Amino acid sequence: MNNKLRNIKLVITDIDGVLTDGSLYYDADGEALKCFHVRDGLGIRMLIESGVQVAVLSGRDSAILRKRIADLGIELFLLGKLDKETACYQLMAQAEVSAEQTAYLGDDSVDLPAFAVCGFSAAVADAPDYVKQAADRTLTLAGGKGAFRELSDLILAVQGKDGIYRSAQGFLAAAKKMAQ
C-alpha cells in the first residue's frame, strides 16, 4: 500500500457518503442542505498545498456541491456523472497524471468502476462490505466524519510531507492559502 501512495499525484473523491454522511435534506425547492466535515476540507487544502491535486467526482450536481467545491478552491471536478470510469479518465487527463498516480475515495457501488481504473482505491468505514472488499484500503472513519482527512494524512505521511499537519511551523508555512 505504501508504495502505491508514494506515487499519488491526484486524489479523486466522491462527495455524497464520503465528504458528507450521505444524507440528503430537501425542502420544497429541492436539495437544501448538506453537512461537510471541516477536517476533510483542511485535508483537501493540505494535499493541494503539498503538490497533490484533488478532484471531485459526483453522480449528483447541485448548487450546494458547487459552493463547497468553490470554497475549497478545487479546480478539477465533474458533477452529475454516473459513469465514473470514464469520468476518472477525464480527470486524469486534465490533471496530466497516470492511473497509477491516482487515488480514488468512494463509498458505494457507483464507485466500483473508479476503483478498477485508479492505481489506489479507498473506501470509507461505513461503506457496504462488497465495496470495502474491492478497495485497496478501508479507512477507519465514516463518510462525512473525517474519512477524506484520514486518507490525506496517510498520503502526506507516506510522501514525507506530514510536517504540514504535524507541526505548527509546517502548518503556518502553508496556512495563508488554507480553507476549511
Side-chain angles (χ1 to χ4, degrees):
M1 179 201 63
N2 284 353
N3 286 337
K4 288 184 177 186
L5 291 179
R6 223 174 249 114
N7 299 318
I8 296 300
K9 294 185 179 182
L10 172 66
V11 177
I12 303 173
T13 185
D14 182 27
I15 297 179
D16 293 312
V18 175
L19 296 182
T20 75
D21 68 4
S23 298
L24 301 175
Y25 299 92
Y26 278 82
D27 65 13
D29 296 320
E31 191 173 66
L33 295 171
K34 286 189 183 286
C35 183
F36 296 92
H37 201 294
V38 70
R39 281 191 220 127
D40 288 336
L42 194 54
I44 288 168
R45 290 307 311 164
M46 284 192 277
L47 279 175
I48 292 169
E49 296 308 319
S50 297
V52 177
Q53 298 178 77
V54 176
V56 169
L57 174 55
S58 179
R60 301 180 57 80
D61 188 355
S62 71
I64 294 166
L65 299 181
R66 290 178 180 274
K67 175 66 173 141
R68 185 63 175 151
I69 289 167
D71 285 350
L72 292 172
I74 297 171
E75 297 176 2
L76 295 171
F77 62 91
L78 291 172
L79 303 176
K81 302 291 183 186
L82 291 177
D83 178 357
K84 292 196 174 184
E85 176 182 354
T86 300
C88 281
Y89 285 128
Q90 290 172 336
L91 290 167
M92 287 178 219
Q94 288 175 23
E96 298 179 342
V97 299
S98 68
E100 293 76 25
Q101 296 170 314
T102 305
Y104 187 89
L105 178 56
D107 73 302
D108 212 339
S109 299
V110 68
D111 299 307
L112 294 175
F115 282 12
V117 299
C118 292
F120 180 83
S121 60
V124 296
D126 58 333
D129 286 341
Y130 48 86
V131 173
K132 291 188 240 184
Q133 290 168 359
D136 292 311
R137 181 173 183 125
T138 298
L139 301 173
T140 63
L141 296 172
K145 303 296 182 192
F148 187 94
R149 176 61 181 274
E150 181 181 347
L151 179 60
S152 170
D153 286 359
L154 284 169
I155 292 168
L156 291 169
V158 168
Q159 293 184 359
K161 301 173 183 176
D162 54 339
I164 195 168
Y165 66 82
R166 287 195 185 274
S167 74
Q169 284 180 315
F171 180 78
L172 290 173
K176 293 180 179 109
K177 301 175 190 174
M178 295 287 190
Q180 292 180 304

